[in-house]
Amino acid sequence: MTPTLRLAALAGTILSAPVSAGLLAAPARAQPAVALDEISVTSPSPIQTGHPTVGNAAPLQTGILPVATNTFSPVTVVTQDQIARDQPRTLGDALFDRPGISSTTYAPGAASRPIIRGLDNARVRIQENGIVNGGVSDLGEDHAVPVNPLVSDRIEVIRGPATLRYGSGAIGGVVSADNNRVPTFIPANGVQGQVTSGFSSVDNGRLGAATVDAGADGIAVHADGFRTASDSYAIPGGIQRNSYNESQGGAVGISAIGDRGFVGLSFSHYDAIYAIPGGVAEQDRTRLTPNQDRVLSRGEYRPLDGPFEVIRYWAGYSVYRHNEVGIGEDGIEGVQAIFKNREAEERLELQHVPVDTPFGRLTGALGFQSDRRVINTQLESFLPKTESRANAVYLFEELELRPGTRLQAAGRYEVDRLSSIAAQFPADYAPVDGQDPFQYARTRRFAPKSASIGALQDLPFGFVASLNGSYVERGPTGYELFSQGPHDATATFEIGNPDLKKERARTVEASIRRAEGPLRLDATGYYTRYTGFIYRNFTGLACDDDFASCGSGTENRQIVYQQQNATFYGAEIIGQYDLLPVGDGFAGVEAQFDFVRAQFDNGTNVPRIPPYRLGGGVYLRADGWFARVNLLHAFDHQATALFETPTPGYDDLRAELSYTKAVDPAVYGASAITLGVQGRNLLDADIRNSTSFKKDEILLPGRNIRLFLTARF
């Protein structure tokens, strides 16, 4: 049978399945559920024993909340199955509604970077397979992250003390997209893969993605590819103009795998074009064209003897560029700004053999990290050429006092060096006739130090509790120090402060989690005290394309990087409960709540903080069927900063219905297929995101119906 006939027969098999089978869920007619791959949570700690899992040791079924109970810090996990269902085109889309996480939604579906506990940009590290993503999304909310989640096996979001593993740039959290681009295993049957496709009504969106892993005789290979395209999306009562986007890319990788470890290499490419909706960017038809080439190598070796149990390394190099195209001051359309970024990062971790002490078994890992980054901009750009270097050493140690009681301590020492051209602006940031800001070469050096301690305790009835404390320092980034000009796409005139000091954060967080049985719960509360919190302060002035126009211009809001002490506190809660057995599954209820409160010591509010959110709903998973209806309510955001406007709340009603069927690969060419429909913003509500610079100019997408089809082989 040809592949075309196999797919046609397979689709017919799925479509012919009666809906009543899922609703009545008669055990006699139950179809075998498709088991998903087990999920390994590897990002939070360099100390790894075997392959830690999320939740139960058994593979997670569709719709089950993944809860990591073996980590000291809370970890949010988005599984490969959930990615295939939601079909996000950005990491921000994939994480927007998770407790404690929001996104910038500057260009929905294209440029939307995750925000963790109200923190973003320089405080949130985004990485793929353990190496920094290598783009310039931290320089501006209009810049896309060159990582497409459609080809990810999972997405992990790490908060709290575990971020010490990755550097001071992760003071707010780490978003880790993981896949098998550098192969780490040989499939049991020699080959495995997944193909997914979908269509969304709100933007005429089309997408397709495929991954393939194969291998034999100690050699494993990987290939993946994706392509997405959408028109300008619909909003209640109209179209959000200039919001179209396209992206495509892929990767190939190869590894040698043996009994004692593996070593591998991959090459990936990413390119896209997307438009910026709202305000001046929309009027000027602004669009960005990011592209990136990336090489990644990683490996692992387990010696037979000696002081180290495991030796691991990661090394990556990327070349990134995007043009910002639009109508310039001369009325002619063309390239208005160019951003280039070359970045290399290496990390080596040495996990020592367990040591039995009078207090318990001690395990630990010593790590070394090095990073070099060169940002080069041209034309109407706000940042001069900037070079940054960072080198660090870190240590994690865990002590198992007794089964079910573990302690962890970690420390990190880092040396940062940043060089660029600084500018000296007047104290009131208003121009002086006939005088331009004085420019001079400047190099800043910082030595951030960080430490943490935590406890993890098993409790009765499957609950696990953790308590963590950390002290983290962060050196300012190049754009916080050296910015000095207009940023066309964000309509801002950015002024850095070359005299900024280190930012310091002291955090206490407590969690309680449960992953087994009918109740799954993940709840965390935290309190962070910042000394010298670096933020972008709107001065109230407006500028055109040079400093001389500030105060009389109209196009760009003037923002200045400043420091002030601040306090953040909040909570993140999500849970599921299986109420009634139905067929081979359950019907149940789910709920979530999250908030973050952030204030400066002078009583004013930190800008661009997410709203309080409360949500819940019902679900059914049985006999291959999965159905869900839930509502996420965002409250009015009134805790505004100076020159910031209140944001009205919204209700996002969502629903999903899908069916998964295991089939015979010899007949259909696949082992399982999922066909489904998903609805978002079904009330067609006006949704504005309080964390977005664009919230007063654009709405998020209106009512959207998405069809998705995924085949696994």
Side-chain angles (χ1 to χ4, degrees), residues 364-384:
L366 176 67
F368 303 89
Q369 183 177 346
S370 179
D371 181 274
R372 184 191 178 196
R373 183 182 191 186
V374 178
I375 300 172
N376 199 353
T377 62
Q378 300 173 17
L379 304 178
E380 294 181 5
S381 178
F382 62 93
L383 183 67

Side-chain angles (χ1 to χ4, degrees), residues 18-37:
V19 175
S20 59
L23 299 177
L24 298 177
R29 300 194 307 272
Q31 300 293 329
V34 176
L36 302 180
D37 293 336

Side-chain angles (χ1 to χ4, degrees), residues 516-527:
E516 61 184 46
L519 174 64
R520 296 167 294 280
L521 175 69
D522 194 344
T524 301
Y526 62 91
Y527 177 93

Side-chain angles (χ1 to χ4, degrees), residues 37-110:
D37 293 336
E38 291 188 2
I39 305 169
S40 297
V41 179
T42 58
S43 298
S45 172
I47 305 170
Q48 300 172 22
T49 56
H51 298 283
T53 59
V54 172
N56 300 323
L60 292 177
Q61 298 180 34
T62 296
I64 289 182
L65 174 69
V67 180
T69 57
N70 60 343
T71 62
F72 285 82
S73 297
V75 180
T76 296
V77 180
V78 182
T79 65
Q80 185 183 45
D81 178 71
Q82 193 62 52
I83 293 170
R85 292 167 178 276
D86 294 343
Q87 297 189 338
R89 285 169 284 181
T90 71
L91 291 174
D93 294 342
L95 299 167
F96 179 74
D97 57 359
R98 267 51 178 190
I101 310 171
S102 183
S103 63
T104 57
T105 63
Y106 199 89

Side-chain angles (χ1 to χ4, degrees), residues 109 225 240 255 281 285 302 329 375 414 416 431 438 446 453 471 618 645 648 690:
Q240 189 66 66
S255 292
R285 299 203 295 268
R302 295 177 177 268
E329 288 292 314
I375 300 172
E414 186 172 318
D416 301 338
F438 175 66
F446 304 94
I453 188 170
Y471 171 81
V618 296
T645 59
S690 64

Side-chain angles (χ1 to χ4, degrees), residues 435-513:
Q435 296 183 21
D436 292 327
F438 175 66
Q439 293 184 319
Y440 58 100
R442 184 78 184 269
T443 296
R444 294 294 309 274
R445 292 177 173 84
F446 304 94
K449 298 173 289 295
S450 304
S452 71
I453 188 170
L456 190 67
Q457 177 64 56
D458 290 348
L459 300 175
F461 308 108
F463 287 93
V464 176
S466 64
L467 179 64
N468 296 287
S470 64
Y471 171 81
V472 181
E473 296 181 345
R474 180 181 75 88
T477 63
Y479 59 86
E480 292 170 329
L481 295 168
F482 303 119
S483 292
Q484 49 188 275
H487 193 181
D488 177 64
T490 56
T492 54
F493 192 97
E494 305 197 9
I495 297 178
N497 182 352
D499 297 319
L500 290 174
K501 300 178 181 179
K502 287 187 297 187
E503 180 180 272
R504 297 172 172 87
R506 301 164 181 85
T507 300
V508 175
E509 68 176 20
S511 300
I512 186 165
R513 289 163 272 171

Side-chain angles (χ1 to χ4, degrees), residues 116-462:
I116 302 175
R117 295 178 176 176
L119 304 171
D120 62 352
N121 293 358
R123 299 180 184 88
V124 173
R125 172 186 166 100
I126 297 179
Q127 64 182 33
E128 186 175 25
N129 295 318
I131 293 294
V132 68
N133 75 96
V136 293
S137 63
D138 56 330
L139 270 68
E141 285 73 9
D142 60 313
H143 301 164
V145 178
V147 175
N148 191 295
L150 292 174
V151 293
S152 295
D153 294 334
R154 67 185 180 277
I155 301 169
E156 298 176 7
V157 180
I158 305 103
R159 313 166 180 83
T163 61
L164 267 64
R165 186 184 185 190
Y166 298 104
S168 59
I171 192 172
V174 176
V175 178
S176 181
D178 295 311
N179 51 50
N180 201 42
R181 284 182 163 175
V182 176
T184 59
F185 65 91
I186 295 175
N189 297 324
V191 62
Q192 71 176 41
Q194 176 174 295
V195 177
T196 186
S197 63
F199 174 83
S200 54
S201 64
V202 74
D203 54 5
N204 194 31
R206 300 83 67 195
L207 62 84
T211 62
V212 179
D213 291 288
D217 300 325
I219 300 297
V221 295
H222 170 92
D224 66 61
F226 65 88
R227 182 174 176 81
T228 71
S230 67
D231 303 333
S232 293
Y233 62 81
I235 56 176
I239 298 292
Q240 189 66 66
R241 303 295 178 185
N242 210 54
S243 61
Y244 62 88
N245 61 80
E246 295 182 15
S247 68
Q248 53 274 319
V252 292
I254 186 170
S255 292
I257 300 177
D259 295 337
R260 311 306 304 172
F262 74 94
V263 60
L265 181 71
S266 73
F267 171 80
S268 61
H269 177 75
Y270 173 95
D271 68 74
I273 180 171
Y274 62 91
I276 305 295
V280 176
E282 179 181 321
Q283 296 172 14
D284 293 343
R285 299 203 295 268
T286 300
R287 55 197 182 275
L288 279 68
T289 60
N291 67 82
Q292 182 190 61
D293 290 319
R294 191 169 188 257
V295 177
L296 173 66
S297 178
R298 57 178 296 199
E300 176 179 298
Y301 177 62
R302 295 177 177 268
L304 289 172
D305 51 28
F308 299 115
E309 184 179 31
V310 189
I311 301 172
R312 304 182 182 94
Y313 83 90
W314 296 257
Y317 177 74
S318 63
V319 178
Y320 172 94
R321 170 182 173 141
H322 80 244
N323 296 338
E324 298 187 0
V325 185
I327 300 174
E329 288 292 314
D330 55 6
I332 299 175
E333 186 174 77
V335 177
Q336 306 301 320
I338 299 173
F339 285 77
K340 299 178 182 179
N341 184 65
R342 291 184 288 114
E343 191 160 5
E345 182 178 270
E346 304 84 31
R347 194 166 74 253
L348 174 68
E349 292 179 350
L350 310 172
Q351 180 172 322
H352 67 70
V353 297
V355 178
D356 291 322
T357 73
F359 305 101
R361 171 159 288 197
L362 183 70
T363 58
L366 176 67
F368 303 89
Q369 183 177 346
S370 179
D371 181 274
R372 184 191 178 196
R373 183 182 191 186
V374 178
I375 300 172
N376 199 353
T377 62
Q378 300 173 17
L379 304 178
E380 294 181 5
S381 178
F382 62 93
L383 183 67
K385 181 178 179 180
T386 303
E387 180 179 353
S388 58
R389 296 174 182 264
N391 295 286
V393 58
Y394 54 92
L395 177 67
F396 278 68
E397 292 288 342
E398 292 181 8
L399 179 65
E400 186 178 25
L401 297 177
R402 59 179 182 175
T405 302
R406 292 158 55 196
L407 302 178
Q408 184 187 81
R412 181 184 180 94
Y413 181 76
E414 186 172 318
V415 177
D416 301 338
R417 179 181 181 272
L418 302 97
S419 300
S420 187
I421 302 297
Q424 188 66 48
F425 289 87
D428 59 359
Y429 300 102
V432 177
D433 289 341
Q435 296 183 21
D436 292 327
F438 175 66
Q439 293 184 319
Y440 58 100
R442 184 78 184 269
T443 296
R444 294 294 309 274
R445 292 177 173 84
F446 304 94
K449 298 173 289 295
S450 304
S452 71
I453 188 170
L456 190 67
Q457 177 64 56
D458 290 348
L459 300 175
F461 308 108

